[in-house]
Short mmCIF file of all heavy atoms in Angstrom, two decimals:
data_model
loop_
_atom_site.label_atom_id
_atom_site.label_comp_id
_atom_site.label_asym_id
_atom_site.label_seq_id
_atom_site.Cartn_x
_atom_site.Cartn_y
_atom_site.Cartn_z
N GLU A 20 87.20 136.43 119.80
CA GLU A 20 86.61 136.64 118.49
C GLU A 20 87.45 137.64 117.72
O GLU A 20 87.59 138.79 118.13
CB GLU A 20 85.17 137.15 118.65
CG GLU A 20 84.19 136.38 117.78
CD GLU A 20 82.80 136.93 117.96
OE1 GLU A 20 82.47 137.91 117.28
OE2 GLU A 20 82.05 136.37 118.78
N GLU A 39 65.72 118.78 141.75
CA GLU A 39 64.91 119.85 141.18
C GLU A 39 65.00 119.86 139.65
O GLU A 39 66.02 119.47 139.08
CB GLU A 39 65.40 121.20 141.71
CG GLU A 39 64.40 122.32 141.60
CD GLU A 39 64.96 123.66 142.10
OE1 GLU A 39 66.19 123.76 142.32
OE2 GLU A 39 64.18 124.60 142.24
N VAL A 86 72.33 116.22 126.99
CA VAL A 86 71.61 116.02 125.72
C VAL A 86 71.63 117.33 124.96
O VAL A 86 71.24 118.37 125.49
CB VAL A 86 70.15 115.58 125.97
CG1 VAL A 86 69.44 115.34 124.64
CG2 VAL A 86 70.08 114.34 126.84
N LEU A 126 66.10 101.71 125.86
CA LEU A 126 65.57 101.83 124.51
C LEU A 126 64.05 101.69 124.50
O LEU A 126 63.32 102.42 123.84
CB LEU A 126 66.18 100.71 123.69
CG LEU A 126 66.75 101.02 122.34
CD1 LEU A 126 68.03 100.28 122.15
CD2 LEU A 126 65.77 100.64 121.28
N GLY A 130 60.46 104.12 123.86
CA GLY A 130 59.61 103.69 122.75
C GLY A 130 60.35 103.43 121.46
O GLY A 130 59.82 103.66 120.38
N GLU A 159 72.84 106.89 133.85
CA GLU A 159 72.42 106.99 135.25
C GLU A 159 73.25 107.99 136.04
O GLU A 159 73.78 107.69 137.11
CB GLU A 159 72.42 105.60 135.89
CG GLU A 159 71.43 104.69 135.16
CD GLU A 159 71.23 103.33 135.80
OE1 GLU A 159 72.05 102.96 136.66
OE2 GLU A 159 70.25 102.66 135.44
N LEU A 180 57.25 114.16 123.50
CA LEU A 180 58.56 113.98 124.13
C LEU A 180 58.60 114.59 125.53
O LEU A 180 59.23 114.04 126.44
CB LEU A 180 59.66 114.58 123.26
CG LEU A 180 60.02 113.74 122.03
CD1 LEU A 180 60.94 114.52 121.09
CD2 LEU A 180 60.72 112.45 122.46
N ARG A 213 61.14 125.38 138.66
CA ARG A 213 61.57 126.77 138.76
C ARG A 213 62.08 127.17 137.38
O ARG A 213 62.68 126.35 136.68
CB ARG A 213 62.68 126.89 139.79
CG ARG A 213 62.97 128.28 140.28
CD ARG A 213 63.51 128.24 141.73
NE ARG A 213 64.56 127.23 141.84
CZ ARG A 213 65.87 127.52 141.78
NH1 ARG A 213 66.27 128.75 141.59
NH2 ARG A 213 66.74 126.57 141.90
N ASP A 244 45.88 130.44 137.08
CA ASP A 244 47.23 130.73 137.57
C ASP A 244 48.27 130.46 136.48
O ASP A 244 49.25 131.19 136.34
CB ASP A 244 47.56 129.85 138.78
CG ASP A 244 46.73 130.25 139.98
OD1 ASP A 244 46.20 131.39 139.96
OD2 ASP A 244 46.58 129.43 140.91
#
Side-chain angles (χ1 to χ4, degrees):
Chain A
E20 229 180 84
E39 200 182 12
V86 182
L126 227 139
E159 299 186 346
L180 284 170
R213 196 151 48 97
D244 291 341

